[in-house]
Amino acid sequence: MTAFPDYPFTSRWFAHPRRDGLRQHYLDEGAGQPVLFLHGNPSWSYLWRRPILALREEFRCIAPDHIGMGLSDKPGSGRYPYDLAARVDDLDALVEHLITGGGAPEHGWTLVLHDWGGPIGMAWACRHPGRVARLVLLNTAAFPNPHGERVRPLLRLPFRVLRDTRLGTRLFLRHNIFARGATWRPLGVRRRMSAPVRSAFLAPYDRPEHRVAIQRFVQDIPLRPGDPSWPVLEGTGTSLAQFADRPTLIAWGLGDPVFDRAVLGEWRRRFPAARTRLYHGAGHYLLEDAHADLVPAIRSFLRTPPRTDG
């Protein structure tokens, strides 16, 4: 397997029995209270390399790659649903596997969520609220767009092209424009990525058939009632209040063109007791731009007493 910078981890795979044996790659490093890291689109568990390296001496760090992403299997559209409900089911199956066969505790889980990790992780949390001890929220959402059905004007045309046209399909699958764009300034980062790190983010998406999940994640964004994943997102948003008593850290890259101040404000409205750290010089991949401050902040937060009651 190709070596990736600062990713000295042991790869593990879980074969999903209800997905015809599709293999989901995940990291499981360290021991202690479980910390579940959930990435979004178009990243993968490589995003979490720095916090895992910093935390694995004290915590059990678990970081899956969603099916079709990272080092997980990459099925064609006919073999996998590629929707939010399927992602939540996959996470549920993986966690049950770790609890029943991997020695993970049933309670005391911390969720660290970025991008699509928010709706996936919080929808899972709504199924098992007693398992969740703490939350770390990084440029993500788990509720309908606070702007309503509108995409922000600056993003409206490129979003429609990418989501709804043949040109968009060509840009996703042939040119890998979405994953490449996420590694560029100012779309995904505010500080230039080194060439080896950029190559690592892009490595799993090396040919068109390995980019299907990236396109399908964008196509699955629920903007309005009637979109396939709207019921899951709306239901999750309605149920978030039950987690307002959990210790929560919100860290936000203010240069994110999608998860903007309105999304941040919605989290703060729902979780008024949360700690908040704002990064003016960080974009969507704030762990790339602001890791020097953010990783110690996460470690300090995780050392606070968690909620462990069921």
Short mmCIF file of all heavy atoms in Angstrom, two decimals, residues 111-165:
data_model
loop_
_atom_site.label_atom_id
_atom_site.label_comp_id
_atom_site.label_asym_id
_atom_site.label_seq_id
_atom_site.Cartn_x
_atom_site.Cartn_y
_atom_site.Cartn_z
N LEU A 111 -17.99 12.11 19.36
CA LEU A 111 -18.08 12.23 17.91
C LEU A 111 -17.34 13.48 17.46
O LEU A 111 -17.58 14.58 17.98
CB LEU A 111 -19.55 12.32 17.47
CG LEU A 111 -20.50 11.22 17.93
CD1 LEU A 111 -21.86 11.41 17.28
CD2 LEU A 111 -19.94 9.84 17.63
N VAL A 112 -16.45 13.31 16.49
CA VAL A 112 -15.74 14.42 15.87
C VAL A 112 -16.16 14.46 14.41
O VAL A 112 -15.88 13.53 13.65
CB VAL A 112 -14.20 14.27 15.99
CG1 VAL A 112 -13.50 15.52 15.45
CG2 VAL A 112 -13.80 14.03 17.45
N LEU A 113 -16.86 15.53 14.01
CA LEU A 113 -17.61 15.53 12.77
C LEU A 113 -17.20 16.68 11.86
O LEU A 113 -17.12 17.83 12.31
CB LEU A 113 -19.12 15.64 13.07
CG LEU A 113 -19.66 14.66 14.13
CD1 LEU A 113 -21.11 14.96 14.43
CD2 LEU A 113 -19.47 13.22 13.68
N HIS A 114 -16.99 16.35 10.58
CA HIS A 114 -16.65 17.37 9.60
C HIS A 114 -17.48 17.14 8.34
O HIS A 114 -17.67 16.01 7.90
CB HIS A 114 -15.16 17.29 9.25
CG HIS A 114 -14.72 18.30 8.23
ND1 HIS A 114 -14.40 17.98 6.93
CD2 HIS A 114 -14.55 19.65 8.32
CE1 HIS A 114 -14.04 19.06 6.27
NE2 HIS A 114 -14.12 20.10 7.09
N ASP A 115 -18.03 18.23 7.76
CA ASP A 115 -18.73 18.16 6.48
C ASP A 115 -19.86 17.12 6.59
O ASP A 115 -20.66 17.18 7.52
CB ASP A 115 -17.71 17.85 5.37
CG ASP A 115 -18.25 18.01 3.97
OD1 ASP A 115 -18.19 19.13 3.45
OD2 ASP A 115 -18.73 17.01 3.40
N TRP A 116 -19.95 16.17 5.65
CA TRP A 116 -21.01 15.15 5.70
C TRP A 116 -20.94 14.29 6.96
O TRP A 116 -21.91 13.59 7.29
CB TRP A 116 -20.92 14.24 4.47
CG TRP A 116 -21.72 14.70 3.29
CD1 TRP A 116 -21.26 15.40 2.22
CD2 TRP A 116 -23.10 14.46 3.04
NE1 TRP A 116 -22.28 15.62 1.32
CE2 TRP A 116 -23.42 15.05 1.80
CE3 TRP A 116 -24.11 13.81 3.74
CZ2 TRP A 116 -24.69 15.02 1.25
CZ3 TRP A 116 -25.39 13.77 3.20
CH2 TRP A 116 -25.67 14.37 1.98
N GLY A 117 -19.82 14.31 7.68
CA GLY A 117 -19.77 13.60 8.95
C GLY A 117 -20.81 14.09 9.93
O GLY A 117 -21.24 13.33 10.81
N GLY A 118 -21.24 15.36 9.79
CA GLY A 118 -22.25 15.91 10.69
C GLY A 118 -23.60 15.22 10.55
O GLY A 118 -24.13 14.67 11.52
N PRO A 119 -24.23 15.26 9.37
CA PRO A 119 -25.52 14.59 9.24
C PRO A 119 -25.42 13.08 9.44
O PRO A 119 -26.34 12.48 10.01
CB PRO A 119 -25.97 14.93 7.81
CG PRO A 119 -24.78 15.49 7.12
CD PRO A 119 -23.89 16.06 8.18
N ILE A 120 -24.33 12.46 9.01
CA ILE A 120 -24.20 11.01 9.21
C ILE A 120 -24.06 10.71 10.71
O ILE A 120 -24.77 9.87 11.26
CB ILE A 120 -22.98 10.47 8.43
CG1 ILE A 120 -23.20 10.62 6.93
CG2 ILE A 120 -22.74 9.00 8.78
CD1 ILE A 120 -21.95 10.38 6.09
N GLY A 121 -23.13 11.40 11.35
CA GLY A 121 -22.87 11.13 12.76
C GLY A 121 -24.02 11.49 13.67
O GLY A 121 -24.35 10.73 14.59
N MET A 122 -24.67 12.63 13.42
CA MET A 122 -25.76 13.03 14.30
C MET A 122 -27.02 12.20 14.05
O MET A 122 -27.80 11.95 14.98
CB MET A 122 -26.04 14.51 14.15
CG MET A 122 -24.92 15.41 14.65
SD MET A 122 -24.25 15.01 16.30
CE MET A 122 -25.71 15.16 17.33
N ALA A 123 -27.24 11.74 12.82
CA ALA A 123 -28.36 10.82 12.58
C ALA A 123 -28.12 9.51 13.32
O ALA A 123 -29.06 8.93 13.89
CB ALA A 123 -28.53 10.57 11.09
N TRP A 124 -26.86 9.04 13.33
CA TRP A 124 -26.54 7.85 14.11
C TRP A 124 -26.74 8.13 15.60
O TRP A 124 -27.29 7.30 16.34
CB TRP A 124 -25.10 7.41 13.84
CG TRP A 124 -24.66 6.28 14.72
CD1 TRP A 124 -24.89 4.95 14.51
CD2 TRP A 124 -23.95 6.39 15.96
NE1 TRP A 124 -24.35 4.22 15.55
CE2 TRP A 124 -23.77 5.07 16.45
CE3 TRP A 124 -23.44 7.46 16.69
CZ2 TRP A 124 -23.11 4.81 17.65
CZ3 TRP A 124 -22.79 7.20 17.89
CH2 TRP A 124 -22.62 5.88 18.36
N ALA A 125 -26.29 9.29 16.06
CA ALA A 125 -26.45 9.65 17.47
C ALA A 125 -27.92 9.66 17.89
O ALA A 125 -28.26 9.26 19.01
CB ALA A 125 -25.81 11.01 17.73
N CYS A 126 -28.79 10.09 16.99
CA CYS A 126 -30.22 10.12 17.31
C CYS A 126 -30.78 8.71 17.49
O CYS A 126 -31.78 8.52 18.19
CB CYS A 126 -30.98 10.86 16.22
SG CYS A 126 -30.71 12.65 16.22
N ARG A 127 -30.14 7.72 16.87
CA ARG A 127 -30.55 6.33 17.09
C ARG A 127 -30.06 5.83 18.45
O ARG A 127 -30.68 4.93 19.03
CB ARG A 127 -29.97 5.42 16.00
CG ARG A 127 -30.50 5.66 14.61
CD ARG A 127 -29.92 4.60 13.66
NE ARG A 127 -30.35 4.83 12.27
CZ ARG A 127 -30.02 4.02 11.26
NH1 ARG A 127 -29.28 2.94 11.49
NH2 ARG A 127 -30.43 4.30 10.04
N HIS A 128 -28.92 6.36 18.92
CA HIS A 128 -28.28 5.85 20.13
C HIS A 128 -27.84 7.02 21.03
O HIS A 128 -26.65 7.16 21.33
CB HIS A 128 -27.06 5.01 19.76
CG HIS A 128 -27.33 3.92 18.77
ND1 HIS A 128 -27.96 2.74 19.11
CD2 HIS A 128 -27.07 3.85 17.45
CE1 HIS A 128 -28.06 1.97 18.03
NE2 HIS A 128 -27.53 2.62 17.01
N PRO A 129 -28.77 7.86 21.46
CA PRO A 129 -28.34 9.06 22.20
C PRO A 129 -27.59 8.75 23.49
O PRO A 129 -26.70 9.51 23.88
CB PRO A 129 -29.66 9.78 22.48
CG PRO A 129 -30.72 8.74 22.31
CD PRO A 129 -30.23 7.80 21.28
N GLY A 130 -27.88 7.62 24.12
CA GLY A 130 -27.20 7.29 25.36
C GLY A 130 -25.75 6.94 25.19
O GLY A 130 -24.99 6.92 26.17
N ARG A 131 -25.32 6.67 23.96
CA ARG A 131 -23.92 6.33 23.72
C ARG A 131 -23.03 7.56 23.59
O ARG A 131 -21.81 7.45 23.69
CB ARG A 131 -23.79 5.49 22.45
CG ARG A 131 -24.37 4.10 22.59
CD ARG A 131 -24.19 3.29 21.31
NE ARG A 131 -24.69 1.93 21.51
CZ ARG A 131 -24.79 1.02 20.55
NH1 ARG A 131 -24.42 1.34 19.31
NH2 ARG A 131 -25.24 -0.19 20.81
N VAL A 132 -23.62 8.72 23.36
CA VAL A 132 -22.85 9.90 22.98
C VAL A 132 -22.49 10.71 24.22
O VAL A 132 -23.37 11.16 24.96
CB VAL A 132 -23.64 10.77 21.98
CG1 VAL A 132 -22.84 12.02 21.63
CG2 VAL A 132 -23.96 9.96 20.73
N ALA A 133 -21.19 10.90 24.43
CA ALA A 133 -20.71 11.63 25.60
C ALA A 133 -20.36 13.08 25.28
O ALA A 133 -20.62 13.97 26.08
CB ALA A 133 -19.47 10.93 26.18
N ARG A 134 -19.74 13.31 24.10
CA ARG A 134 -19.26 14.64 23.74
C ARG A 134 -19.34 14.81 22.24
O ARG A 134 -19.37 13.82 21.49
CB ARG A 134 -17.81 14.84 24.19
CG ARG A 134 -17.60 14.94 25.67
CD ARG A 134 -16.12 14.92 26.03
NE ARG A 134 -15.52 13.63 25.75
CZ ARG A 134 -14.50 13.10 26.41
NH1 ARG A 134 -13.95 13.79 27.39
NH2 ARG A 134 -13.99 11.93 26.09
N LEU A 135 -19.31 16.06 21.81
CA LEU A 135 -19.35 16.39 20.39
C LEU A 135 -18.26 17.39 20.06
O LEU A 135 -18.03 18.35 20.81
CB LEU A 135 -20.71 17.00 20.02
CG LEU A 135 -21.95 16.14 20.25
CD1 LEU A 135 -23.21 16.98 20.02
CD2 LEU A 135 -21.95 14.92 19.34
N VAL A 136 -17.63 17.17 18.91
CA VAL A 136 -16.70 18.15 18.33
C VAL A 136 -17.19 18.40 16.91
O VAL A 136 -17.24 17.48 16.09
CB VAL A 136 -15.25 17.64 18.33
CG1 VAL A 136 -14.32 18.68 17.70
CG2 VAL A 136 -14.79 17.30 19.75
N LEU A 137 -17.55 19.63 16.61
CA LEU A 137 -18.19 19.99 15.34
C LEU A 137 -17.28 20.92 14.56
O LEU A 137 -16.93 22.02 15.02
CB LEU A 137 -19.52 20.69 15.62
CG LEU A 137 -20.48 19.91 16.54
CD1 LEU A 137 -21.67 20.79 16.94
CD2 LEU A 137 -20.96 18.63 15.86
N LEU A 138 -16.88 20.48 13.36
CA LEU A 138 -15.92 21.21 12.54
C LEU A 138 -16.52 21.47 11.16
O LEU A 138 -16.60 20.56 10.33
CB LEU A 138 -14.63 20.38 12.38
CG LEU A 138 -14.00 19.78 13.63
CD1 LEU A 138 -12.80 18.91 13.25
CD2 LEU A 138 -13.59 20.84 14.62
N ASN A 139 -16.98 22.67 10.91
CA ASN A 139 -17.50 23.05 9.59
C ASN A 139 -18.40 21.96 9.02
O ASN A 139 -18.06 21.28 8.05
CB ASN A 139 -16.35 23.39 8.64
CG ASN A 139 -15.68 24.70 8.99
OD1 ASN A 139 -15.02 24.81 10.02
ND2 ASN A 139 -15.84 25.70 8.14
N THR A 140 -19.54 21.82 9.64
CA THR A 140 -20.48 20.77 9.28
C THR A 140 -21.89 21.28 9.58
O THR A 140 -22.09 22.39 10.07
CB THR A 140 -20.17 19.49 10.07
OG1 THR A 140 -20.99 18.43 9.60
CG2 THR A 140 -20.41 19.67 11.57
N ALA A 141 -22.88 20.46 9.28
CA ALA A 141 -24.27 20.75 9.61
C ALA A 141 -24.98 19.43 9.86
O ALA A 141 -24.52 18.37 9.43
CB ALA A 141 -24.95 21.53 8.49
N ALA A 142 -26.12 19.50 10.54
CA ALA A 142 -26.96 18.31 10.74
C ALA A 142 -28.42 18.74 10.82
O ALA A 142 -29.21 18.19 11.57
CB ALA A 142 -26.54 17.57 12.00
N PHE A 143 -28.75 19.73 10.00
CA PHE A 143 -30.08 20.33 9.96
C PHE A 143 -30.25 20.96 8.58
O PHE A 143 -29.26 21.18 7.86
CB PHE A 143 -30.21 21.41 11.05
CG PHE A 143 -28.96 22.22 11.26
CD1 PHE A 143 -28.57 23.19 10.35
CD2 PHE A 143 -28.15 21.99 12.36
CE1 PHE A 143 -27.42 23.93 10.52
CE2 PHE A 143 -26.99 22.72 12.55
CZ PHE A 143 -26.62 23.70 11.63
N PRO A 144 -31.47 21.25 8.18
CA PRO A 144 -31.66 21.88 6.87
C PRO A 144 -30.92 23.21 6.76
O PRO A 144 -30.68 23.91 7.75
CB PRO A 144 -33.18 22.08 6.80
CG PRO A 144 -33.73 20.97 7.66
CD PRO A 144 -32.75 20.85 8.81
N ASN A 145 -30.56 23.53 5.54
CA ASN A 145 -29.80 24.74 5.25
C ASN A 145 -30.47 25.98 5.86
O ASN A 145 -31.63 26.26 5.55
CB ASN A 145 -29.71 24.89 3.72
CG ASN A 145 -28.86 26.06 3.29
OD1 ASN A 145 -28.35 26.82 4.10
ND2 ASN A 145 -28.72 26.22 1.97
N PRO A 146 -29.79 26.73 6.73
CA PRO A 146 -30.41 27.92 7.31
C PRO A 146 -30.72 29.00 6.29
O PRO A 146 -31.49 29.91 6.57
CB PRO A 146 -29.38 28.40 8.34
CG PRO A 146 -28.09 27.79 7.92
CD PRO A 146 -28.45 26.49 7.27
N HIS A 147 -30.14 28.91 5.08
CA HIS A 147 -30.49 29.83 4.00
C HIS A 147 -31.78 29.41 3.29
O HIS A 147 -32.19 30.07 2.34
CB HIS A 147 -29.36 29.89 2.97
CG HIS A 147 -28.07 30.44 3.50
ND1 HIS A 147 -27.88 31.78 3.73
CD2 HIS A 147 -26.91 29.83 3.85
CE1 HIS A 147 -26.65 31.98 4.19
NE2 HIS A 147 -26.05 30.82 4.28
N GLY A 148 -32.40 28.33 3.73
CA GLY A 148 -33.57 27.81 3.03
C GLY A 148 -33.14 26.99 1.83
O GLY A 148 -32.06 26.39 1.81
N GLU A 149 -33.98 26.95 0.81
CA GLU A 149 -33.68 26.16 -0.37
C GLU A 149 -32.62 26.79 -1.26
O GLU A 149 -32.12 26.14 -2.18
CB GLU A 149 -34.95 25.94 -1.19
CG GLU A 149 -36.02 25.14 -0.47
CD GLU A 149 -37.23 24.89 -1.33
OE1 GLU A 149 -37.15 25.15 -2.55
OE2 GLU A 149 -38.25 24.43 -0.80
N ARG A 150 -32.26 28.02 -0.98
CA ARG A 150 -31.33 28.73 -1.85
C ARG A 150 -29.90 28.26 -1.62
O ARG A 150 -29.46 28.07 -0.49
CB ARG A 150 -31.38 30.24 -1.58
CG ARG A 150 -32.73 30.89 -1.86
CD ARG A 150 -32.70 32.36 -1.52
NE ARG A 150 -32.46 32.58 -0.10
CZ ARG A 150 -31.34 33.05 0.41
NH1 ARG A 150 -30.32 33.35 -0.37
NH2 ARG A 150 -31.21 33.21 1.71
N VAL A 151 -29.18 28.09 -2.70
CA VAL A 151 -27.73 28.00 -2.64
C VAL A 151 -27.19 29.42 -2.71
O VAL A 151 -27.74 30.27 -3.44
CB VAL A 151 -27.18 27.14 -3.81
CG1 VAL A 151 -25.66 27.11 -3.79
CG2 VAL A 151 -27.75 25.74 -3.74
N ARG A 152 -26.16 29.72 -1.95
CA ARG A 152 -25.62 31.08 -1.95
C ARG A 152 -25.30 31.51 -3.39
O ARG A 152 -24.83 30.71 -4.20
CB ARG A 152 -24.36 31.14 -1.10
CG ARG A 152 -24.62 30.89 0.37
CD ARG A 152 -23.33 30.83 1.15
NE ARG A 152 -22.66 32.13 1.15
CZ ARG A 152 -21.39 32.29 1.52
NH1 ARG A 152 -20.66 31.26 1.86
NH2 ARG A 152 -20.86 33.49 1.52
N PRO A 153 -25.57 32.79 -3.75
CA PRO A 153 -25.44 33.23 -5.15
C PRO A 153 -24.09 32.89 -5.78
O PRO A 153 -24.03 32.49 -6.94
CB PRO A 153 -25.66 34.74 -5.04
CG PRO A 153 -26.54 34.91 -3.85
CD PRO A 153 -26.11 33.86 -2.87
N LEU A 154 -23.01 33.04 -5.03
CA LEU A 154 -21.69 32.77 -5.58
C LEU A 154 -21.54 31.30 -5.99
O LEU A 154 -20.79 30.97 -6.90
CB LEU A 154 -20.62 33.13 -4.54
CG LEU A 154 -19.15 32.95 -4.95
CD1 LEU A 154 -18.82 33.91 -6.10
CD2 LEU A 154 -18.23 33.20 -3.76
N LEU A 155 -22.30 30.41 -5.33
CA LEU A 155 -22.16 28.98 -5.57
C LEU A 155 -23.27 28.40 -6.43
O LEU A 155 -23.20 27.24 -6.83
CB LEU A 155 -22.15 28.23 -4.21
CG LEU A 155 -21.09 28.66 -3.22
CD1 LEU A 155 -21.31 27.96 -1.89
CD2 LEU A 155 -19.69 28.36 -3.74
N ARG A 156 -24.28 29.21 -6.75
CA ARG A 156 -25.49 28.67 -7.37
C ARG A 156 -25.21 28.05 -8.74
O ARG A 156 -25.58 26.90 -9.00
CB ARG A 156 -26.53 29.79 -7.49
CG ARG A 156 -27.92 29.31 -7.87
CD ARG A 156 -28.90 30.46 -7.76
NE ARG A 156 -28.94 30.95 -6.39
CZ ARG A 156 -29.28 32.18 -6.04
NH1 ARG A 156 -29.57 33.07 -6.99
NH2 ARG A 156 -29.32 32.54 -4.78
N LEU A 157 -24.53 28.78 -9.60
CA LEU A 157 -24.29 28.26 -10.95
C LEU A 157 -23.36 27.05 -10.93
O LEU A 157 -23.69 26.01 -11.52
CB LEU A 157 -23.73 29.35 -11.85
CG LEU A 157 -23.41 28.92 -13.30
CD1 LEU A 157 -24.66 28.36 -13.97
CD2 LEU A 157 -22.84 30.09 -14.09
N PRO A 158 -22.18 27.12 -10.26
CA PRO A 158 -21.33 25.92 -10.26
C PRO A 158 -22.00 24.73 -9.61
O PRO A 158 -21.81 23.59 -10.05
CB PRO A 158 -20.07 26.36 -9.50
CG PRO A 158 -20.42 27.64 -8.83
CD PRO A 158 -21.50 28.27 -9.63
N PHE A 159 -22.82 24.96 -8.59
CA PHE A 159 -23.50 23.85 -7.94
C PHE A 159 -24.47 23.18 -8.91
O PHE A 159 -24.51 21.95 -9.01
CB PHE A 159 -24.25 24.35 -6.70
CG PHE A 159 -25.04 23.28 -6.00
CD1 PHE A 159 -24.39 22.35 -5.17
CD2 PHE A 159 -26.40 23.17 -6.16
CE1 PHE A 159 -25.11 21.36 -4.52
CE2 PHE A 159 -27.13 22.19 -5.51
CZ PHE A 159 -26.47 21.29 -4.69
N ARG A 160 -25.25 23.99 -9.63
CA ARG A 160 -26.21 23.41 -10.57
C ARG A 160 -25.50 22.67 -11.69
O ARG A 160 -25.95 21.61 -12.13
CB ARG A 160 -27.10 24.51 -11.13
CG ARG A 160 -28.11 25.05 -10.12
CD ARG A 160 -28.93 26.18 -10.71
NE ARG A 160 -29.94 26.65 -9.77
CZ ARG A 160 -30.71 27.71 -9.97
NH1 ARG A 160 -30.57 28.43 -11.09
NH2 ARG A 160 -31.60 28.08 -9.07
N VAL A 161 -24.40 23.22 -12.17
CA VAL A 161 -23.65 22.54 -13.23
C VAL A 161 -23.14 21.20 -12.74
O VAL A 161 -23.29 20.17 -13.40
CB VAL A 161 -22.50 23.43 -13.72
CG1 VAL A 161 -21.57 22.63 -14.63
CG2 VAL A 161 -23.03 24.65 -14.46
N LEU A 162 -22.54 21.18 -11.55
CA LEU A 162 -21.96 19.95 -11.03
C LEU A 162 -23.03 18.91 -10.72
O LEU A 162 -22.86 17.73 -10.99
CB LEU A 162 -21.15 20.25 -9.76
CG LEU A 162 -19.82 20.96 -9.96
CD1 LEU A 162 -19.22 21.35 -8.62
CD2 LEU A 162 -18.85 20.10 -10.74
N ARG A 163 -24.14 19.37 -10.19
CA ARG A 163 -25.17 18.43 -9.70
C ARG A 163 -26.06 17.91 -10.81
O ARG A 163 -26.48 16.74 -10.77
CB ARG A 163 -26.00 19.15 -8.64
CG ARG A 163 -27.12 18.32 -8.02
CD ARG A 163 -27.81 19.14 -6.95
NE ARG A 163 -29.08 18.59 -6.56
CZ ARG A 163 -29.42 18.26 -5.32
NH1 ARG A 163 -28.53 18.39 -4.35
NH2 ARG A 163 -30.61 17.79 -5.02
N ASP A 164 -26.36 18.72 -11.82
CA ASP A 164 -27.50 18.42 -12.68
C ASP A 164 -27.18 18.29 -14.17
O ASP A 164 -28.11 18.15 -14.96
CB ASP A 164 -28.57 19.52 -12.51
CG ASP A 164 -29.09 19.61 -11.08
OD1 ASP A 164 -29.15 18.57 -10.41
OD2 ASP A 164 -29.40 20.74 -10.63
N THR A 165 -25.92 18.35 -14.58
CA THR A 165 -25.65 18.36 -16.01
C THR A 165 -24.64 17.28 -16.40
O THR A 165 -23.88 16.77 -15.57
CB THR A 165 -25.09 19.73 -16.45
OG1 THR A 165 -23.76 19.89 -15.92
CG2 THR A 165 -25.97 20.87 -15.99
#
